[in-house]
Amino acid sequence: MPRKRCSGGKAAAGRWALWVCVVLNPHCKLEEKSSWLRQLRKWGEMDVCPLEDGNYGNELPNITNALTQSSSHSQDSLARPRRTVFTRAIEGCDLHWQDSHLQRIISSDFYVSPAYQREGESLLFNSQGQPLWLEHVPTACARVDALRSHGYPREALRLTVAIINTLRLQQQRQLEIYKHQKKELLQRGATTITNLEGWVGHPLNPIGCLFLTLTEACRLEEENCLEISDTGDTKPPVYQHVPVTTGSQDSGESYLSLALEVALMGMGQQRVMPEGLYAQDKVCRNEEQIIARLQDLELDPVLVQTLRKQCILLLEGGPFSGLGEVIHRESVPMHTFAKYLFSALLPHDADLAYKLALRAMRLPVLETTAPSGDVTHPHHLVSVVPSRYPRWFTLGHLESQQCELASTMLTAAKGDMLRLRTVLEAIQKNIHSSSLIFKLAQDAFKIATPADSNSDTTLLNVALELGLQVMRMTLSTLNWRRREMVRWLVTCATEVGVRALVSILQSWYSLFTPTEATSIVAATVMSHNTILRLSLDYPQREELASCARTLALQCAMKDPQNCALSALTLCEKDHIAFETAYQIVIDAASTGMTYTQLFTIARYMEHRGYPLRAFKLASLAMTHLNLAYNQDTHPAINDVLWACALSHSLGKNELAAIIPLVVKSVHCATVLSDILRRCTMTAPGLAGIPGRRNSGKLMSTDKAPLRQLLDATISAYINTTHSRLTHISPRHYGEFIEFLSKARETFLLAQDGHIQFAQFIDNLKQIYKGKKKLMLLVRERFG
């Protein structure tokens, strides 16, 4: 092999691959390799040396039999030696190129098995006589990478073909093994994973390496190939089919179809999620890189045939395939890969596309318990720990990819009732996140209701069904998006039609809280906009209104505090329902409702023209209230003043009934004096209740019911004064004198008020004579 210089384009390939590539230089002298080994070991032993975050298998097998890899190598992660970013390169120093079979593979396109195979040679060639290379796959691919990097593209290509022939043979053998185990595996519903390392996300990027080697051989080096297009993007590379050069008869294969085949094999390999955030993130990114490259391939009939064949093998591949019937609980999900396959297959074989995408929808790590079958794999004991799922750092990303796959299928199945039903079932069975199901429901709704044409009923129903599922899932959990979800659901049901609205109103208790049901659902259904949107006739309007009223009364019974007012509003137009709602409020008033809620409903009653009912509710509200002497800015003060004004306007009897309640509940002197002043300014009974005569006389503060209010106000002023004086500071003296002036106004409303006030002031001077400066101010103002 002629000596060539290293092409040096590897700096971006990551430390692992770069150093493995360096030590795998086919013409590296022994002393050069020894010097590299010393240097790598020295770096690897440093404390600051980064670890190989993926925690892969504890050793890199050299010439392992790739066909018989078993899970017996795997160890518990705790027993593993420390692996750094240089460990693979150190292990790579043990590799050499002296193997005669390897030399023949890379030296000639025409190396085939002899007509007569000696014993032991059966593993060197496949049944077509093509050479195989049975090394551990990532190691074999590292050799390909080294050949490319050191300037041996033809040799790299030959070794790649041998590796792919080996992978194909491995795939066939695995299929045969699975056929024998199928019955038992399906019964058990669980499997172990036999490959030590996943090829996607692997530090040496084996699949990417093979794919690039093959596609570079097929690239049309046109002048405009990498031109920048008008939009500023680089144009995708253009490939042509280049026939595979082999010693056997023309296989009819091209390097391009091999590239597609090996990418599909690698992506479809079942593998356990590696440990650690870095390694998990690497799996996602590597997967996306490979798919981006696959999307550059234009699928002509030859590539479509390769795609179909490989997809069928992946579906039938049992535990060796991530798309097989039975997979390990911690298997890396296939959603991103399946989304690519689905879109690529759909125009050519829709049945196969759906079969594959539906199979890929699962995410077993989120199923509630680990199947007992997992325990047989010692390395993955993590799956039986109590936590619901082990440390899957990329779980959020994986779930959103699962959602993307479902959305792609929903879009494609628009108008096909049978397919939509199957996709819907897969979503309901496999997606466990309410926010993602809600996103799918919204997607389906958008696709089903295009602005420029009629709605698609089948897809609309799917959107509604997904929305209902979200409602049930989030009903008992606090979810900050609930209001948005509930509003959306009503919009969706409205679009579906009146039957859908009747249905959600009738089954509200399994979908909404009482507050949501009354304030959002029923209120929206009864709105003018909904009636117009559905252009309902009178019987339909009545049916909806009747359902909304029934719902309102049920909600008011269940949660009177939050639903009573909405229930009254919804039942306004139906006398019997309105009376029922009012009775529910009265029954709940003594136990389950606050004064704020009762005052709000009372004001509503007055506004609706039911002053006596408003008075009754205001009286009930007063019994729940307690205003202390210093709460002169309490929010309920306006309600108290309103309740007293209402009673006063109804007449002497109502005022007489509410004053004892006020006296009992309000201990704040300024509020009491305000009520007293208002009651003495005009005669009671101005509301003009029919059949009732108003005397038109002003009321006296010396007689009941105002006498009781006056005494309570004077008493409140006296108590408040003492309370304020116990801890008063000089800066509040002026304020206090003003307060006493207000008190005097109230005292003077009583017949012997001036005497009472004089006694009160004398009392103060006696008790608080120690506060000389303050008492001087009191004398100056009040004598």
Side-chain angles (χ1 to χ4, degrees):
M1 204 191 296
R3 178 82 191 265
K4 297 196 183 176
R5 293 190 56 199
C6 175
S7 60
K10 297 298 297 170
R15 291 185 204 114
W16 297 281
L18 178 63
W19 283 109
V20 172
C21 205
V22 168
V23 301
L24 272 179
N25 180 345
H27 279 286
C28 193
K29 292 199 176 78
L30 206 57
E31 57 269 27
E32 271 185 288
K33 198 178 266 193
S34 305
S35 122
W36 279 128
L37 186 57
R38 280 197 303 278
Q39 184 61 61
L40 291 167
R41 281 190 175 137
K42 189 176 157 190
W43 287 336
E45 282 159 12
M46 288 178 168
D47 287 343
V48 292
C49 183
L51 294 180
E52 183 181 287
D53 230 331
N55 292 340
Y56 284 83
N58 65 325
E59 60 188 81
L60 183 68
N62 285 354
I63 314 294
T64 55
N65 183 338
L67 291 180
T68 56
Q69 267 191 43
S70 77
S71 56
S72 58
H73 302 291
S74 57
Q75 290 188 334
D76 193 84
S77 55
L78 299 174
R80 290 197 200 129
R82 175 174 178 269
R83 291 183 65 85
T84 75
V85 290
F86 299 113
T87 305
R88 284 178 192 272
I90 292 166
E91 289 165 353
C93 289
D94 292 339
L95 298 172
H96 58 80
W97 296 85
Q98 271 71 61
D99 183 272
S100 60
H101 182 56
L102 174 62
Q103 286 289 333
R104 287 190 189 119
I105 290 172
I106 61 179
S107 309
S108 165
D109 287 329
F110 305 104
Y111 176 45
V112 292
S113 67
Y116 166 73
Q117 281 195 7
R118 287 187 297 281
E119 201 169 326
E121 278 192 342
S122 60
L123 280 178
L124 300 182
F125 303 94
N126 65 14
S127 56
Q128 285 87 49
Q130 296 162 315
L132 303 172
W133 181 241
L134 282 106
E135 196 169 27
H136 175 65
V137 175
T139 312
C141 295
R143 287 186 189 275
V144 171
D145 202 12
L147 288 168
R148 278 177 64 234
S149 304
H150 292 285
Y152 301 102
R154 289 299 313 162
E155 288 80 357
L157 204 53
R158 290 172 189 140
L159 183 54
T160 297
V161 174
I163 293 169
I164 291 174
N165 284 330
T166 313
L167 293 181
R168 283 173 169 172
L169 187 58
Q170 185 177 340
Q171 199 175 40
Q172 283 166 17
R173 299 242 179 123
Q174 288 172 342
L175 265 173
E176 285 158 25
I177 295 168
Y178 175 54
K179 277 172 191 159
H180 291 124
Q181 301 173 337
K182 189 171 184 174
K183 198 173 168 192
E184 180 206 343
L185 277 176
L186 291 177
Q187 276 172 345
R188 210 171 55 184
T191 178
T192 55
I193 286 199
T194 51
N195 55 296
L196 289 174
E197 301 181 295
W199 301 329
V200 172
H202 191 284
L204 299 176
N205 188 14
I207 299 301
C209 165
L210 297 181
F211 186 83
L212 273 175
T213 307
L214 291 161
T215 49
E216 276 178 8
C218 303
R219 198 157 171 165
L220 265 179
E221 290 299 340
E222 297 175 12
E223 285 172 32
N224 63 350
C225 207
L226 279 175
E227 261 183 23
I228 307 293
S229 67
D230 300 339
T231 54
D233 303 323
T234 50
K235 287 183 181 173
V238 181
Y239 298 114
Q240 61 182 348
H241 284 286
V242 175
V244 176
T245 326
T246 58
S248 58
Q249 294 306 304
D250 177 29
S251 60
E253 289 188 319
S254 80
Y255 291 119
L256 199 58
S257 60
L258 285 191
L260 175 62
E261 186 177 346
V262 79
L264 300 178
M265 268 188 197
M267 294 281 284
Q269 176 205 35
Q270 187 182 185
R271 52 198 182 269
V272 160
M273 181 63 80
E275 291 164 33
L277 169 61
Y278 177 81
Q280 291 177 16
D281 185 52
K282 200 165 165 56
V283 168
C284 296
R285 279 182 299 135
N286 193 197
E287 200 171 35
E288 282 158 13
Q289 285 161 359
I290 296 171
I291 288 171
R293 293 209 170 115
L294 285 174
Q295 283 166 334
D296 285 343
L297 301 182
E298 262 187 59
L299 294 179
D300 58 20
V302 177
L303 293 183
V304 168
Q305 195 184 344
T306 306
L307 178 71
R308 283 193 66 233
K309 184 180 158 198
Q310 197 50 237
C311 285
I312 292 164
L313 284 171
L314 287 173
L315 282 171
E316 292 171 357
F320 302 97
S321 159
L323 291 162
E325 264 176 285
V326 184
I327 53 170
H328 188 277
R329 181 167 175 261
E330 283 164 52
S331 187
V332 171
M334 294 278 133
H335 309 132
T336 316
F337 180 42
K339 187 182 154 199
Y340 161 76
L341 293 177
F342 178 80
S343 304
L345 272 174
L346 196 63
H348 311 288
D349 188 339
D351 286 341
L352 183 57
Y354 277 100
K355 190 177 177 188
L356 204 137
L358 289 165
R359 171 80 59 84
M361 270 294 287
R362 62 206 166 173
L363 186 48
V365 78
L366 287 186
E367 302 307 330
T368 41
T369 53
S372 54
D374 286 6
V375 189
T376 57
H377 197 46
H379 176 38
H380 298 292
L381 279 173
V382 67
S383 63
V384 290
V385 295
S387 96
R388 184 142 168 251
Y389 17 82
R391 297 174 74 77
W392 279 43
F393 299 98
T394 52
L395 193 58
H397 170 76
L398 297 172
E399 283 190 283
S400 66
Q401 289 301 308
Q402 183 188 30
C403 176
E404 285 290 313
L405 173 62
S407 184
T408 306
M409 282 196 279
L410 280 177
T411 310
K414 180 179 176 179
D416 185 331
M417 198 179 293
L418 212 60
R419 291 233 201 267
L420 278 175
R421 182 59 39 195
T422 330
V423 176
L424 177 65
E425 281 164 14
I427 291 168
Q428 290 172 327
K429 183 180 171 207
N430 293 299
I431 297 186
H432 301 276
S433 152
S434 55
S435 59
L436 289 175
I437 297 177
F438 182 52
K439 183 189 176 300
L440 281 174
Q442 289 176 304
D443 286 354
F445 182 77
K446 240 179 238 151
I447 303 158
T449 52
D452 50 357
S453 62
N454 294 338
S455 298
D456 182 284
T457 322
T458 49
L459 197 50
L460 253 183
N461 278 301
V462 168
L464 180 64
E465 216 164 311
L466 290 172
L468 294 171
Q469 186 186 347
V470 173
M471 289 295 109
R472 288 189 284 266
M473 283 171 86
T474 54
L475 179 58
S476 53
T477 56
L478 285 172
N479 188 304
W480 60 276
R481 294 186 72 187
R482 271 292 289 193
R483 279 186 80 78
E484 177 199 350
M485 290 167 166
V486 173
R487 286 185 194 286
W488 179 87
L489 187 84
V490 179
T491 308
C492 182
T494 307
E495 203 61 41
V496 173
V498 72
R499 300 287 7 118
L501 288 176
V502 168
S503 168
I504 66 169
L505 290 174
Q506 287 174 342
S507 55
W508 71 268
Y509 44 86
S510 66
L511 304 168
F512 315 108
T513 64
T515 317
E516 290 166 347
T518 51
S519 64
I520 305 177
V521 183
T524 311
V525 170
M526 294 303 291
S527 71
H528 185 58
N529 282 355
T530 307
I531 309 291
L532 277 181
R533 178 84 192 82
L534 291 168
S535 37
L536 302 178
D537 57 22
Y538 182 74
Q540 288 175 319
R541 283 213 296 273
E542 273 311 289
E543 183 186 14
L544 264 188
S546 164
C547 287
R549 287 193 292 267
T550 307
L551 169 148
L553 294 175
Q554 289 169 343
C555 293
M557 286 289 287
K558 205 170 166 69
D559 182 3
Q561 283 129 310
N562 297 309
C563 301
L565 184 59
S566 299
L568 285 163
T569 314
L570 288 163
C571 295
E572 269 174 7
K573 290 182 178 146
D574 184 281
H575 178 68
I576 296 170
F578 188 77
E579 288 305 312
T580 312
Y582 175 66
Q583 201 47 55
I584 291 170
V585 175
I586 296 295
D587 294 344
S590 54
T591 51
M593 298 185 79
T594 65
Y595 60 82
T596 313
Q597 289 158 340
L598 288 168
F599 275 132
T600 306
I601 297 170
R603 288 192 169 202
Y604 161 82
M605 280 294 180
E606 187 205 24
H607 179 68
R608 299 287 311 143
Y610 296 101
L612 286 170
R613 287 182 174 187
F615 167 73
K616 184 170 185 178
L617 288 168
S619 305
L620 288 166
M622 289 299 298
T623 61
H624 290 271
L625 183 65
N626 185 18
L627 271 185
Y629 78 91
N630 57 351
Q631 290 183 295
D632 51 0
T633 57
H634 193 284
I637 291 171
N638 280 333
D639 289 318
V640 174
L641 294 174
W642 168 81
C644 293
L646 172 71
S647 314
H648 186 271
S649 72
L650 288 173
K652 196 171 176 181
N653 297 343
E654 284 76 12
L655 189 59
I658 205 148
I659 281 174
L661 300 176
V662 171
V663 166
K664 195 174 173 195
S665 302
V666 181
H667 307 284
C668 181
T670 50
V671 177
L672 289 169
S673 61
D674 199 359
I675 296 168
L676 188 63
R677 185 178 55 78
R678 291 172 188 224
C679 288
T680 51
M681 279 167 68
T682 52
L686 296 180
I689 303 283
R692 198 187 268 198
R693 292 215 334 264
N694 299 325
S695 63
K697 286 184 194 162
L698 289 177
M699 290 175 78
S700 159
T701 50
D702 282 340
K703 294 188 185 133
L706 290 190
R707 178 74 218 207
Q708 187 187 358
L709 181 58
L710 177 60
D711 290 347
T713 311
I714 290 171
S715 164
Y717 269 117
I718 293 170
N719 293 336
T720 307
T721 302
H722 288 301
S723 294
R724 287 180 75 161
L725 282 172
T726 51
H727 42 72
I728 193 168
S729 68
R731 65 197 171 109
H732 293 124
Y733 285 176
E735 208 180 286
F736 178 71
I737 297 297
E738 288 311 309
F739 175 74
L740 282 184
S741 303
K742 275 207 172 126
R744 179 167 60 182
E745 287 169 23
T746 302
F747 271 82
L748 295 179
L749 290 173
Q751 266 191 338
D752 54 350
H754 59 290
I755 301 168
Q756 274 193 56
F757 188 70
Q759 280 174 345
F760 172 51
I761 293 293
D762 285 346
N763 238 346
L764 291 182
K765 289 187 224 164
Q766 200 55 40
I767 299 169
Y768 301 101
K769 57 185 175 212
K771 297 186 187 292
K772 290 192 175 68
K773 193 175 178 190
L774 179 59
M775 289 309 126
L776 191 69
L777 292 172
V778 170
R779 268 197 202 89
E780 274 177 15
R781 178 70 73 94
F782 304 109

